[in-house]
C-alpha cells in the first residue's frame, strides 16, 4: 500500500529554477523531481511559512526505521557536497525533503524493494525566513 503523499509548498522562484534544472537534466532523477513538483502548492517567496523546506534550507530529519537523525542543506546539484552535508535536490532524499514542513513525513521505495520514511523535525535555516530572497 502506498501512503498518501503529503502536500508540499514550493516558492515561485524555486519552482522556476527547478523547472529549468529538470529541462536540462535527463533521466529518472529529473523525472522523480518533476513528479514531486506536480503536487506542489506554489507561493511567493515572501509568503512561504518559516517551517517549510525550501531550496538552500537547512533541515533536521529522522529516518523512521533506524531512528537516525541528520541535518542537511537542500542544494542544487552544483552545490551538493556530502562532506558539507549538502544534499542535491536531484537525490531521492533531496527530492523527498523539498516542500515539506515540520512534522510531515514522506515514504518512498528504495532499491531492493524496501521503503524509506523520513519525518521533518526542524528547519534550522530557511533563506526566506532569514530575509534572503533569491532572484
Amino acid at each position: 500500500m502506498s501512503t498518501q503523499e503529503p502536500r508540499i509548498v514550493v516558492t515561485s522562484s524555486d519552482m522556476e529554477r527547478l523547472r529549468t534544472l529538470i529541462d536540462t537534466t535527463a533521466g529518472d532523477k529529473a523525472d522523480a523531481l518533476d513528479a514531486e513538483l506536480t503536487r506542489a502548492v506554489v507561493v511567493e517567496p515572501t509568503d512561504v511559512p518559516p517551517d517549510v523546506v525550501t531550496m538552500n534550507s537547512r533541515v533536521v530529519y529522522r529516518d523512521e526505521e533506524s531512528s537516525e537523525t541528520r541535518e542537511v542543506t537542500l542544494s542544487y546539484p552544483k552545490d551538493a557536497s556530502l562532506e558539507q552535508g549538502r544534499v542535491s535536490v536531484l537525490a531521492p532524499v533531496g527530492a523527498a525533503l523539498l516542500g515539506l514542513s515540520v512534522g510531515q513525513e514522506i515514504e518512498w521505495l528504495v532499491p531492493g524493494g524496501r521503503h524509506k520514511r523520513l519525518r521533518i523535525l526542524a528547519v534550522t535555516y530557511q533563506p526566506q525566513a532569514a530575509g534572503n530572497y533569491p532572484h
Side-chain angles (χ1 to χ4, degrees):
M1 292 288 141
S2 72
T3 58
Q4 185 174 353
E5 293 173 326
R7 182 178 78 101
I8 65 172
V9 176
V10 176
T11 68
S12 55
S13 55
D14 283 351
M15 181 65 89
E16 194 174 310
R17 283 199 174 115
L18 293 169
R19 285 274 167 228
T20 301
L21 177 64
I22 290 165
D23 291 346
T24 58
T25 306
D28 293 345
K29 290 181 177 182
D31 293 344
L33 178 58
D34 190 40
E36 288 290 308
L37 293 179
T38 59
R39 61 192 182 84
V41 173
V42 180
V43 300
E44 289 307 308
T46 51
D47 296 333
V48 69
D51 66 343
V52 170
V53 181
T54 61
M55 290 305 300
N56 298 307
S57 286
R58 192 136 187 89
V59 57
V60 179
Y61 70 84
R62 180 176 59 230
D63 180 317
E64 291 294 295
E65 279 118 64
S66 68
S67 295
E68 181 187 344
T69 349
R70 289 196 61 203
E71 185 170 11
V72 298
T73 300
L74 185 60
S75 305
Y76 289 98
K78 66 179 178 54
D79 300 322
S81 162
L82 285 178
E83 298 79 36
Q84 295 175 5
R86 300 181 68 82
V87 174
S88 169
V89 70
L90 288 179
V93 69
L97 292 172
L98 177 69
L100 292 179
S101 55
V102 173
Q104 284 186 309
E105 51 178 63
I106 189 163
E107 184 175 300
W108 74 96
L109 200 60
V110 291
R114 293 181 313 112
H115 285 270
K116 190 150 189 84
R117 200 169 86 223
L118 303 180
R119 175 181 291 275
I120 306 300
L121 300 179
V123 175
T124 56
Y125 171 78
Q126 183 205 68
Q128 294 78 11
N132 299 323
Y133 298 102
H135 301 294

